[in-house]
């Protein structure tokens, strides 16, 4: 029998015969995972941490973050606390919808006007076919068309309502494409699929007094680092990675497609030469930060309702719609960015990062929980964060006992 047709238990047994002994997993958990993916043999678990207070558009939120990097959550909390003391993050959303593409191959008898004249009718027919989306406030909003030689490009704008909308958009595009292939002069449909080009944008802005950051000299350095990130792609890429550390952690916690956001963010960062997605500028006695991100996300659909771990994250967030969640995520990205730039401008980023990472190192030691805490405490006291030093401390403890 083919591997994908086996039960997850039989797949695990087959791997064990090959010398691959996987970690134990409960039958219930294994079944739940098998319902979510393909060729399932186990699960990967991430810690779920919390940002205690993020103030966005005048309202406070606790924000769930799924990541194995303690410094990411620590940084988000640090940045968020600074924001909250000074009015929080103000976010504006431009949620046009998702773009999809249909590309047709045509012959010389094809007349572009024949489809152009039918666009209003095509929108009506599609929306009638997908009434459930209309009932939730979404639907096909606009179709534009152009021809390049023997190829005809249709760009379809779909409002996915409260869902991310990838599957529904693709279904709409396939439906429309099947109608279009019957037009005179159309040879075949080349593809009908959504585009991950950035369309649903959220822009967050904060204004911080320079004394909240350690004075004007520190604020000026942050502004300079920001400018370097805009002008130098090497710095810009690292700056954006720091932003996406926080963004991806919230996307994963809320069951959203972080890969779609990453792809769209890369396009946005690459416009007019690769640059940082954020900017920080001194304006009199304030440091003003701004971040724009594509947010093709949802709060329903996909695996969101099917996963109890994801529902835990929404319990933490409270009742949020897609626009609110987009605003929260941009706020977290900006908080992570500020914390990183502030660390670089003062003590340096590595010391704090390694202090938090020390817990991961100690976790790998084969000893008691009590010994691990003693070792971690000593490492932080001595400010020595290497696995070799952790092992040296363990050896001393064992010799003492």
């Amino acid at each position: 029998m083919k591997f994908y047709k086996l039960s997850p238990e039989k797949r695990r047994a087959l791997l064990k015969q090959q010398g691959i002994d996987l970690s134990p997993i409960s039958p219930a958990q294994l079944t739940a995972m098998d319902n979510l993916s393909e060729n399932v043999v186990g699960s990967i678990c991430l810690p779920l941490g919390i940002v205690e207070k993020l103030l966005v558009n005048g309202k406070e939120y606790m924000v769930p973050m799924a990541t194995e990097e303690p410094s990411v959550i620590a940084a988000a909390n640090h940045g968020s606390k600074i924001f909250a003391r000074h009015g929080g993050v103000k976010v504006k959303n431009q949620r046009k919808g998702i773009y999809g593409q249909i590309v047709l191959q045509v012959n010389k008898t094809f007349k572009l006007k024949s489809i152009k004249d039918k666009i209003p009718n095509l929108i009506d027919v599609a929306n009638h076919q997908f009434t459930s989306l209309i009932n939730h406030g979404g639907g096909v909003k606009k179709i534009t068309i152009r021809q390049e030689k023997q190829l005809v490009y249709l760009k379809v704008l779909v409002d996915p309502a409260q869902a991310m909308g990838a599957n529904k958009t693709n279904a709409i595009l396939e439906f429309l494409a099947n109608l279009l292939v019957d037009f005179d002069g159309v040879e075949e449909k080349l593809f009908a699929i959504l585009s991950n080009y950035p369309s649903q944008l959220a822009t967050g802005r904060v204004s911080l007094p320079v004394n909240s950051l350690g004075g004007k000299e520190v604020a000026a350095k942050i502004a300079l680092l920001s400018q370097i990130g805009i002008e130098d792609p090497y710095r810009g890429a690292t700056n954006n990675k720091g932003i996406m550390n926080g963004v991806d952690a919230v996307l994963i916690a809320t069951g959203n497609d972080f890969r779609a956001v990453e792809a769209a963010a890369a396009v946005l960062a690459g416009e007019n030469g690769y640059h940082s997605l954020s900017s920080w500028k001194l304006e009199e006695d304030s440091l003003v930060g701004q971040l724009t991100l594509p947010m093709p996300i949802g709060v329903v659909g996909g695996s969101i309702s099917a996963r109890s771990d994801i529902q835990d994250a929404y319990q933490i967030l409270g009742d949020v719609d897609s626009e609110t969640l987009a605003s929260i995520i941009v706020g977290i990205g900006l908080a992570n960015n500020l914390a990183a730039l502030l660390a670089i401008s003062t003590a340096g980023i590595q010391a704090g990062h390694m202090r938090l990472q020390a817990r991961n190192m100690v976790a790998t030691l084969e000893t008691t929980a009590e010994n691990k805490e003693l070792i971690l405490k000593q490492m932080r006291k001595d400010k020595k964060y290497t696995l070799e030093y952790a092992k040296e401390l363990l050896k001393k403890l064992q010799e003492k006992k």
Side-chain angles (χ1 to χ4, degrees):
M1 186 179 288
K2 291 182 179 179
F3 192 77
Y4 77 92
K5 289 186 176 180
L6 296 174
S7 68
E9 291 84 1
K10 287 183 178 178
R11 292 186 202 118
R12 286 172 64 90
L14 188 61
L15 291 179
K16 191 166 186 177
Q17 289 173 16
Q18 298 172 17
I20 303 169
D21 197 6
L22 300 176
S23 300
I25 183 171
S26 72
Q29 177 73 352
L30 191 56
T31 299
M33 294 297 101
D34 192 48
N35 289 332
L36 291 173
S37 193
E38 183 81 359
N39 283 358
V40 168
V41 295
S43 68
I44 297 291
C45 181
L46 284 173
L48 183 66
I50 286 179
V51 169
E52 295 176 84
K53 186 171 82 170
L54 178 71
L55 184 62
V56 179
N57 292 338
K59 187 173 179 180
E60 291 181 4
Y61 299 92
M62 282 198 298
V63 186
M65 299 179 73
T67 177
E68 79 294 350
E69 281 280 359
S71 59
V72 171
I73 296 177
N77 272 288
H78 184 42
S80 296
K81 284 175 184 175
I82 296 173
F83 292 172
R85 290 195 290 267
H86 303 286
V89 191
K90 305 294 188 293
V91 184
K92 291 183 179 179
N93 279 272
Q94 297 174 310
R95 296 184 66 79
K96 296 178 183 177
I98 295 178
Y99 285 114
Q101 282 184 299
I102 301 171
V103 177
L104 308 170
Q105 194 161 29
V106 298
N107 58 37
K108 292 180 180 179
T109 66
F110 175 78
K111 304 294 182 187
L112 187 64
K113 192 173 184 298
S114 65
I115 292 182
K116 266 188 176 178
D117 292 344
K118 296 286 186 180
I119 283 176
N121 183 58
L122 288 169
I123 293 173
D124 289 342
V125 170
N127 285 335
H128 181 74
Q129 180 71 18
F130 294 89
T131 52
S132 62
L133 186 56
I134 294 294
N135 292 338
H136 285 93
V140 179
K141 298 300 180 184
K142 186 178 180 181
I143 300 175
T144 57
I145 185 170
R146 64 184 173 85
Q147 184 174 359
E148 300 287 341
K149 297 180 180 178
Q150 303 306 111
L151 296 178
V152 172
Y153 295 81
L154 288 97
K155 187 167 69 173
V156 182
L157 181 63
V158 178
D159 181 348
Q162 291 303 307
M164 185 271 184
N167 290 334
K168 186 68 75 175
T169 299
N170 283 336
I172 290 170
L173 294 168
E174 286 288 347
F175 172 78
L176 287 169
N178 289 335
L179 298 178
L180 292 166
V181 292
D182 291 333
F183 277 70
D184 289 340
V186 176
E187 293 285 334
E188 64 172 321
K189 171 198 77 179
L190 290 181
F191 62 84
I193 193 168
L194 69 83
S195 169
N196 290 112
Y197 192 88
S199 57
Q200 305 198 69
L201 302 176
T203 299
R205 188 178 186 275
V206 292
S207 181
L208 308 171
V210 294
N211 59 15
S212 68
L213 304 164
K216 198 160 190 174
E217 187 177 336
V218 174
K221 193 169 182 180
I222 291 172
L224 177 59
L225 287 170
S226 173
Q227 187 60 35
I228 293 170
I230 291 168
E231 295 173 356
D232 176 52
Y234 285 84
R235 174 61 211 153
T238 307
N239 199 63
N240 291 340
K241 193 270 182 182
I243 292 167
M244 300 312 290
N245 277 342
V247 168
D248 285 347
V250 185
L251 291 169
I252 292 168
T254 56
N256 274 288
D257 187 351
F258 66 93
R259 296 144 309 232
V261 175
E262 286 274 5
V267 172
L268 205 61
E271 289 183 342
N272 303 314
Y274 190 90
H275 58 274
S276 171
L277 290 161
S278 68
S279 68
W280 295 88
K281 295 179 180 178
L282 265 178
E283 295 182 5
E284 297 181 353
D285 288 327
S286 294
L287 182 70
V288 177
Q290 184 166 301
L291 172 64
T292 297
L293 286 174
M295 280 287 121
I297 63 167
V299 296
V300 296
S303 66
I304 291 173
S305 300
R307 293 175 57 187
S308 59
D309 54 349
I310 300 302
Q311 287 306 304
D312 286 345
Y314 284 97
Q315 288 287 326
I316 293 165
L317 274 169
D319 187 19
V320 295
D321 58 16
S322 297
E323 185 170 302
T324 303
L325 181 56
S327 299
I328 289 168
I329 294 171
V330 169
I332 289 292
L334 201 54
N336 272 96
N337 187 223
L338 174 67
L341 293 174
L342 186 56
I344 295 169
S345 300
T346 52
I349 204 163
Q350 189 66 3
H353 175 77
M354 291 309 296
R355 184 177 183 276
L356 290 163
Q357 196 66 17
R359 184 174 292 277
N360 288 352
M361 293 180 194
V362 172
T364 66
L365 300 176
E366 293 184 8
T367 187
T368 64
E370 182 185 0
N371 280 348
K372 288 178 181 180
E373 283 301 317
L374 289 171
I375 292 166
L376 183 62
K377 187 176 180 181
Q378 191 63 44
M379 289 174 73
R380 287 177 172 171
K381 182 180 178 182
D382 298 340
K383 296 182 180 179
K384 292 177 71 174
Y385 306 116
T386 66
L387 185 57
E388 290 74 18
Y389 189 55
K391 289 179 178 178
E392 182 184 324
L393 292 173
L394 174 59
K395 187 178 180 181
K396 287 179 180 178
L397 275 176
Q398 289 170 337
E399 288 171 352
K400 196 177 288 186
K401 291 182 178 181

